[in-house]
Amino acid sequence: MRPRCALFQTWPISVHAAVLLGTVGIHPAVAQAASAPAQDTAPTALQTIVAVEKNNTPKPAKAAGHIPHTQDWGVFNAGKQAASGFGTMAGFGQVRWAEDWSDLANVPVSKRNKDWFNRLKYIRLNTTGSIWLSLSGEERLRYVFENQPMMGTAGKTNANRVLLRNMYGADLHLGEHVRAYAEFLWGVAGGSNYYGYQAGTQRERLDLQQGILEVKEHLLGASMGVIGGRQVFVDAPVSMQSARDLPNVQQTWDGVRGYAVWKSFRVDLFDFMQTNKKPIDVFADGTSYNARMYGAYTSTALPSFSFMKQKSQLFADVFFLGYLFNGANAALPLAQAGKTEAGSTRRDNIGGRLWGNAGPFDVNLTGVFQGGQFRPAQKDAQTRPVRAFAVNGSISWNAKNLLGKPSFGIQADVFSGGNYNSKNGAVGTFATPYVALPYYNDVTLALTSQNLVGVGPLITAAPKPNLRLRLHVPAFWRESTQDAVYGTGKTYAWRNNLHGGFVGVSPQVQVAWSFAPHFTWMHDIAGFASSHGMREAGAKSSMFYMQTMEFKF
């Protein structure tokens, strides 16, 4: 996913995500909110068509759903490859090192160079082509207007923020088994009445955004690999964390992950420390030892079947996700208005997920039990156990035969709350310290996945191949009326003057238009209509508008 000034400090999939993905040209945020497992989505303004040169050399058959310029993961190509654990793909991946442009080697130069930037995607460095380089880049200009940020508690009104992100990468392949990737970022932020720029996630002087070394091999019938270094990690439920792609600087991790992908089963093991983005000097980002994430994610492709005369595929995922963190993210609310109890916490998330498609329906059901403990900073205070939970579900009908190929769905979520009057019992508030996907529930960031019940319709359509529409209208309640209201990185001060469980409604509309090769123009319009009880406590209704122009190659 802290005070608002630190809004983006620790910020990039549920199955209903796959519903949103039908075509390319979608902005990352659009696709991410609508893709398979727990991945950020990769948008592109251009869907490159790879024409493979016909010759007498036999080429391995590609699995169904394989996307050009990516590694073939077989059945885990589902959800625009989000099922693989490396993020969704649609021409480009949000995790750029998940791309594989070696297929351009088999495309005649005359066809390959119809897109000028293909010259940068596969650069042969030796005569055999076993050593090659791929270059990538992104220029993103974003404007954000909010009349009452964070329901009027950000200390600013009519905030105008202008954000520019420059991000460039180089992917060096040294044969089939070794690869090194480096990505550099420069973030610029300005505007009027702005806020949240001192957290290091909007303004960033030139620094290493990602830097990895991967060693991979085919062993025991599986594609295996180890990836070490600084990296974006998206193999986790988006209701709990994301790549934090709303600000200029994505959330990255310093550590190691190992993966193995068999025909119908995969496993991902990881241990990370969060990258410290606060330093403002050039190449000054280090490792934050106050925030750790570790665990394992597994996915099993169940036997395919036919439903309503359509091929169907379901996946059963089981995962463990461990969090260690302190500071404002770990503090617990007290009964006194605006007061919190400082400390550190360990959160042990054990969860399962059933997702995929059954005929024309995309389905998703996720359940998470969150255990662990909270250690108060006060030495004589008692350590408290954690007993929290989350249940997330969605179902969508894909009307492929209707104009615009719309999907009609509903999304419902429950994130448990606690009791700020209790000082010794178990902590019941579900914690999401590393920023849930904003597009999952509330793009305004006024609310997050803590002490929250949400339900609302989710509709997407593609009137044209390069035009995507999305509508989400969730209504929100507090799961526990004895617990606080939480924003992204923020615990609101309202306590005894807040009555009733209903929080408000947040209609959200998005339009993404890929108007030219490599370009996407996106508009997000959202509002937050606070409930009567919230307004009496001091919350304000708000309007939100975000316009994004993005160029990627």
Side-chain angles (χ1 to χ4, degrees), residues 12 20-21 26-35 39-43 94 140 142 245-246 437-440 443 470 510 522 524 546 548 550:
L20 303 180
L21 281 179
I26 316 174
H27 188 274
V30 186
Q32 176 183 20
S35 181
Q39 321 299 350
D40 276 317
T41 311
Q94 180 162 10
R140 192 184 74 175
R142 172 164 282 176
D245 204 42
L246 211 60
L437 174 70
Y439 286 88
Y440 181 75
V443 69
R470 181 179 189 265
Q510 185 178 74
M522 187 174 72
D524 286 279
M546 181 168 69
T548 305
E550 182 183 74

Side-chain angles (χ1 to χ4, degrees), residues 40 115 173 190 238 362 378 439 490 513:
D40 276 317
D115 181 352
H173 292 253
V238 293
D362 285 341
Q378 187 176 342
Y439 286 88
K490 183 180 181 68
W513 178 32

